[in-house]
Amino acid sequence: MEEIQSQSDNYRSSSSSASSPASRVPSSNFFYLRKPGSVRQPISFEDSPEWEDTDIDVRVEEGGDSINVAITPTSPSLSKLNSGSLPSPPLPERAVVARKIAGASVVWKDLTVTIKGKRKYSDKVVKSSSGYALPGTMTVIMGPAKSGKSTLLRAIAGRLHHSDRMYGEIFVNGAKSRMRYGTYGFVERETTLIGSLTVREYLYYSALLQLPGFFCQKKSVVEDAIHAMSLSDYANKLIGGHCYFKGLPSGERRRISIARELVMRPHVLFIDEPLYHLDSVSTLLMMVTLKKLASTGCTLIFTIYQSSTEVFGLFDRICLLSNGNTLFFGETLACLQHFSNAGFPCPIMQSPSDHFLRAINTDFDRIIAMCKNWQDDHGDFSSVNMDTAVAIHTLEATYKSSADAAAVETMILRLTEREGPLLKSKGKAGNATRVAVLTWRSLLVMSREWKYYWLRLILYMLLTLCIGTVFSGLRHSLSSVVTRVAAIFVFVSFTSLLSIAGVPALLKEIKIYACEESNMHSGALVFLLGQLLSSIPFLFLISISSSLVFYFLVGLQDGFSFLMYFVLNFFVCLLVNEGLMLLITSLWQHVFWSVLTMVFIHVIMMLSAGYFRIRSALPGPVWTYPVSYIAFHTYSIQGLLENEYLRTSFAVGQVRTISGLQALRSAYDISPDSNSKWENLLVLFLMAMGYRILVFLVLHFCVGKHVSVLKFCRDTNNPR
């Protein structure tokens, strides 16, 4: 209680316990990059790039695998950005030196983002935010939860949801334009990785999906990304998280997701919460790695919720948000001076970011109310003299009238008064290449994911072995017709039901697709073709192994052509079921609801498949039309029974014989046409294609479509 009391007193007061920021900047124990004497000064212009004085030498290496850009600024400021950073350790032998990256200046001016409510666009998530980011620097957007950090980041990158509206202007190198593919990278807060691949394999496949050119030319790009994110010790280790193998720590997984975007060597890198779910050691390692990346010339813009004092000192500029309002933009240590000028000096032993969030987080009002209730009940707790709304209003008003805000406006004017070099896209891989890469990657994943694939194969073998032994020893007689129909129905229905075990694997593939599609590394058609081509060998292996076990145990009709039709029918049936699972999983994107829906659909299809009651006897409005015609069980069972009983006859006594069609009438309804089994197979094939067309529409319009093209609503000029 005494600690809360002391923090409450120090928060509003400017007593001796909260000295000026200049005197509180440590000189050796922390990672501050600015000199203490610069804290009292407003934002300077020394980091502003002069386009006419900057030599940009672009050299495309042989093979086109990467672009090597050297920047030689005449201004001494960019060369001494890291003068106060951590001392670099000596490079070991054969160490790879990071290549220089041509960064870009990014400016956002009067940016406002509104989201659609129940009736109209009324909720402003970001309100008239202005700022900039320069090459070779780290600009952080900080604020409490639901303050608009991620929305502002997405608005700058041009990745807002299609239903959101943005007002304002965004400039890249002084030109009002949107960043093209390959010129920037965006790392989501939560990225789905492929655990059954090594770090090097995962980045290599990502490079193949993103970059044009031949396969062998991507290795150097991948190695650069690995060294840039300090992943050399983990390059040949499995990412993990699959089956029962232990995965890499969260810090390394986070750096892998960033390295995936670095294979494009982007000019600007956006990261949403790079410290998400990281401990203190991983946090510091991540920020030092990002600082090293920024030193190569890349422009880094990312969001952060909270940081330690060491991490705070690594930032170059900070944009502080609360409820969508910009409370400060400028150099990190100048923010301390800003809070002190507004009457909220940071205590000596408190982290600056903790102090900022403590002042502007409205959730602390509930804690204040609890403290006051404790005081009323016990009488031994002093009053907490604190109002977050007043603090936010004071900080916002102080910033608008400060020299820092005026300096930002002047800097924005200087950065946008003339246009710099345009960012050019490096191109992207062709669709045929992407299909081949996704197919090969999926085959490799299937060969390693024994829990989702090989275990399913074993379960199929065990199930068909059980069904085959239960219905074994059937003779080709009239009395065995009903039992054979039951055996085929159980085989088709139960094996289709067992395939629901593949829902988790399909859900993981859809999540990977959504992650890659959001960065334009893949597409709905490319994903479906790759998934189809990679699943065909696995499904055919299941169909032929299960069919052979069932066919010979039950003793179905002899003949190689009959056996091959049985295998082909079951294979197409599995393709249909796989497409249905893809559709349901794409709609729900949740394991529990997808499995529950699939079980319900299969039960309904089994009831209307014509075994429990012949199709002609089913109630017409619902069960016959449309349920029995939608159920793929019906066409598969009909085809298999026609394959078994057409052109066969059974002796009744010594004189009379009946055809197999007549023998089936009491148990199942099939067509007398000799080609009907191929017609049923064609219907199954069309259903398999139809389900995948529906999946394409769902993926194209629903999954991963959270990006909208930048709309400059205040300007009528077309973006260049």
Side-chain angles (χ1 to χ4, degrees):
M1 295 303 172
E2 294 179 356
E3 293 179 359
I4 299 178
Q5 178 182 359
S6 62
Q7 290 182 6
S8 174
D9 296 338
N10 290 332
Y11 182 80
R12 283 292 188 177
S13 64
S14 57
S15 59
S16 59
S17 61
S19 57
S20 63
S23 62
R24 287 185 282 101
V25 177
S27 58
S28 60
N29 294 331
F30 302 102
F31 297 88
Y32 284 108
L33 306 180
R34 298 290 187 267
K35 296 180 180 180
S38 63
V39 177
R40 298 178 180 273
Q41 301 174 359
I43 302 173
S44 63
F45 300 98
E46 61 175 5
D47 291 337
S48 175
E50 295 288 348
W51 303 121
E52 69 274 14
D53 297 332
T54 305
D55 297 330
I56 300 182
D57 183 19
V58 182
R59 299 188 301 274
V60 182
E61 298 178 356
E62 293 185 2
D65 60 333
S66 63
I67 296 180
N68 189 6
V69 185
I71 304 178
T72 310
T74 57
S75 174
S77 59
L78 288 179
S79 63
K80 63 180 182 180
L81 275 172
N82 301 310
S83 59
S85 60
L86 287 172
S88 302
L91 292 175
E93 295 183 0
R94 299 181 180 179
V96 178
V97 180
R99 300 179 183 178
K100 289 293 182 182
I101 300 176
S105 70
V106 180
V107 174
W108 61 99
K109 182 179 179 182
D110 297 329
L111 201 62
T112 300
V113 179
T114 60
I115 61 175
K116 188 175 183 180
K118 294 183 178 180
R119 295 185 179 180
K120 59 182 181 179
Y121 292 87
S122 57
D123 299 331
K124 291 185 178 180
V125 182
V126 179
K127 307 170 186 176
S128 299
S129 177
S130 298
Y132 59 90
L134 298 179
T137 63
M138 295 196 305
T139 303
V140 58
I141 303 173
M142 182 182 290
K146 299 181 180 179
S147 61
K149 303 186 300 296
S150 298
T151 303
L152 178 58
L153 187 73
R154 291 182 176 277
I156 299 171
R159 297 170 62 92
L160 285 174
H161 192 272
H162 60 84
S163 62
D164 298 339
R165 289 184 178 179
M166 190 190 78
Y167 305 87
E169 298 173 329
I170 296 178
F171 300 85
V172 181
N173 277 352
K176 188 185 298 184
S177 64
R178 62 173 179 264
M179 284 172 281
R180 301 177 181 177
Y181 172 82
T183 60
Y184 77 100
F186 194 97
V187 183
E188 300 283 353
R189 181 180 304 176
E190 294 184 359
T191 306
T192 303
L193 304 178
I194 305 177
S196 54
L197 299 178
T198 64
V199 175
R200 182 173 278 111
E201 288 173 343
Y202 178 75
L203 296 179
Y204 183 57
Y205 284 117
S206 298
L208 294 177
L209 288 175
Q210 299 178 55
L211 296 172
F214 297 100
F215 290 176
C216 58
Q217 297 172 350
K218 312 299 190 305
K219 294 183 179 179
S220 61
V221 180
V222 172
E223 295 302 323
D224 289 343
I226 290 175
H227 288 282
M229 295 310 298
S230 303
L231 291 170
S232 301
D233 295 337
Y234 305 94
N236 296 320
K237 294 183 179 180
L238 290 175
I239 297 176
H242 75 296
C243 299
Y244 297 106
F245 294 99
K246 184 179 180 181
L248 294 179
S250 56
E252 280 67 32
R253 296 171 66 89
R254 196 74 177 116
R255 281 185 279 146
I256 293 171
S257 62
I258 298 175
R260 186 191 63 181
E261 299 302 316
L262 290 182
V263 297
M264 286 292 294
R265 296 183 58 79
H267 303 280
V268 184
L269 183 61
F270 300 92
I271 310 175
D272 192 6
E273 296 283 357
L275 309 181
Y276 189 62
H277 285 170
L278 300 186
D279 55 26
S280 58
V281 176
S282 300
T283 294
L284 186 57
L285 179 59
M286 170 67 77
M287 295 311 303
V288 171
T289 304
L290 292 179
K291 189 64 182 178
K292 182 181 68 174
L293 176 63
S295 66
T296 63
C298 183
T299 304
L300 292 183
I301 307 175
F302 54 89
T303 63
I304 195 172
Y305 175 75
Q306 200 170 12
S307 68
S308 62
T309 306
E310 293 87 350
V311 171
F312 180 81
L314 292 173
F315 304 150
D316 292 291
R317 290 178 184 85
I318 180 174
C319 178
L320 193 61
L321 295 180
S322 181
N323 295 329
N325 298 301
T326 302
L327 305 185
F328 177 80
F329 181 87
E331 295 187 357
T332 52
L333 296 188
C335 190
L336 289 170
Q337 183 66 48
H338 169 65
F339 269 73
S340 179
N341 295 337
F344 307 100
C346 181
I348 296 177
M349 301 302 294
Q350 189 172 2
S351 169
S353 64
D354 292 341
H355 174 65
F356 299 157
L357 296 178
R358 174 66 184 84
I360 64 177
N361 195 344
T362 56
D363 292 335
F364 278 101
D365 292 337
R366 291 179 295 177
I367 302 177
I368 299 169
M370 292 175 59
C371 294
K372 291 183 178 180
N373 292 334
W374 180 273
Q375 174 195 2
D376 296 338
D377 295 339
H378 296 78
D380 56 354
F381 192 82
S382 61
S383 62
V384 180
N385 188 17
M386 191 183 310
D387 190 349
T388 307
V390 175
I392 294 174
H393 178 73
T394 304
L395 289 168
E396 184 180 7
T398 304
Y399 171 68
K400 289 182 178 180
S401 60
S402 65
D404 292 328
V408 170
E409 294 296 330
T410 307
M411 174 67 83
I412 290 177
L413 180 62
R414 184 171 182 179
L415 290 174
T416 57
E417 63 183 359
R418 66 186 66 181
E419 297 181 2
L422 294 177
L423 301 184
K424 297 181 179 180
S425 175
K426 306 175 182 65
K428 53 179 154 181
N431 289 332
T433 302
R434 290 182 173 182
V435 171
V437 172
L438 289 178
T439 303
W440 182 253
R441 188 181 70 177
S442 297
L443 287 173
L444 181 60
V445 170
M446 288 181 181
S447 65
R448 296 179 180 178
E449 292 273 5
W450 64 268
K451 181 179 178 182
Y452 295 133
Y453 296 99
W454 298 112
L455 185 58
R456 286 174 58 191
L457 177 62
I458 296 174
L459 291 178
Y460 269 100
M461 294 291 293
L462 292 177
L463 178 61
T464 52
L465 182 63
C466 294
I467 298 174
T469 52
V470 168
F471 293 96
S472 62
L474 295 180
R475 299 180 180 180
H476 290 277
S477 61
L478 186 60
S479 60
S480 66
V481 171
V482 177
T483 309
R484 285 175 182 271
V485 173
I488 292 177
F489 171 79
V490 171
F491 173 77
V492 173
S493 301
F494 283 26
T495 51
S496 300
L497 190 63
L498 182 62
S499 63
I500 299 177
V503 167
L506 293 179
L507 180 62
K508 183 179 293 185
E509 290 185 11
I510 291 174
K511 288 183 177 179
I512 294 172
Y513 157 77
C515 182
E516 293 178 341
E517 195 274 342
S518 63
N519 287 336
M520 294 181 287
H521 300 166
S522 180
L525 182 61
V526 171
F527 166 74
L528 282 179
L529 289 177
Q531 196 277 336
L532 177 63
L533 294 177
S534 61
S535 62
I536 284 177
F538 177 72
L539 295 179
F540 186 77
L541 180 61
I542 289 179
S543 61
I544 194 171
S545 58
S546 302
S547 298
L548 289 174
V549 172
F550 176 81
Y551 202 91
F552 290 108
L553 282 178
V554 176
L556 299 182
Q557 189 170 177
D558 294 335
F560 181 76
S561 61
F562 297 107
L563 175 61
M564 287 297 99
Y565 178 85
F566 191 97
V567 174
L568 186 60
N569 183 291
F570 185 50
F571 169 70
V572 180
C573 181
L574 291 179
L575 277 180
V576 176
N577 198 31
E578 194 88 358
L580 179 60
M581 286 194 300
L582 267 174
L583 178 62
I584 299 301
T585 308
S586 301
L587 289 173
W588 281 115
Q589 298 187 44
H590 191 278
V591 174
F592 173 77
W593 293 111
S594 299
V595 171
L596 188 65
T597 305
M598 285 298 302
V599 171
F600 177 77
I601 291 175
H602 272 271
V603 171
I604 296 299
M605 289 184 175
M606 289 165 61
L607 289 175
S608 61
Y611 172 73
F612 297 103
R613 195 174 184 184
I614 298 176
R615 178 191 283 185
S616 59
L618 289 172
V622 176
W623 290 102
T624 303
Y625 305 100
V627 176
S628 65
Y629 287 90
I630 295 177
F632 66 89
H633 300 67
T634 305
Y635 304 99
S636 179
I637 296 171
Q638 280 184 357
L640 295 179
L641 289 176
E642 289 161 355
N643 182 62
E644 182 68 17
Y645 284 106
L646 284 181
R647 299 180 181 178
T648 61
S649 60
F650 298 96
V652 180
Q654 297 181 354
V655 180
R656 182 169 171 244
T657 61
I658 62 173
S659 64
L661 177 63
Q662 294 174 329
L664 274 175
R665 281 183 177 176
S666 60
Y668 207 86
D669 187 15
I670 63 173
S671 174
D673 188 3
S674 59
N675 294 324
S676 59
K677 69 176 185 179
W678 298 107
E679 293 175 357
N680 285 313
L681 188 64
L682 178 61
V683 172
L684 286 175
F685 179 78
L686 293 178
M687 292 182 71
M689 296 298 102
Y691 277 127
R692 278 167 172 78
I693 292 175
L694 292 177
V695 174
F696 170 79
L697 296 177
V698 172
L699 294 178
H700 186 71
F701 292 104
C702 299
V703 180
K705 287 296 178 183
H706 302 294
V707 181
S708 65
V709 179
L710 285 180
K711 297 179 181 179
F712 303 109
C713 301
R714 293 185 181 176
D715 192 274
T716 58
N717 296 329
N718 293 327
R720 300 193 313 166

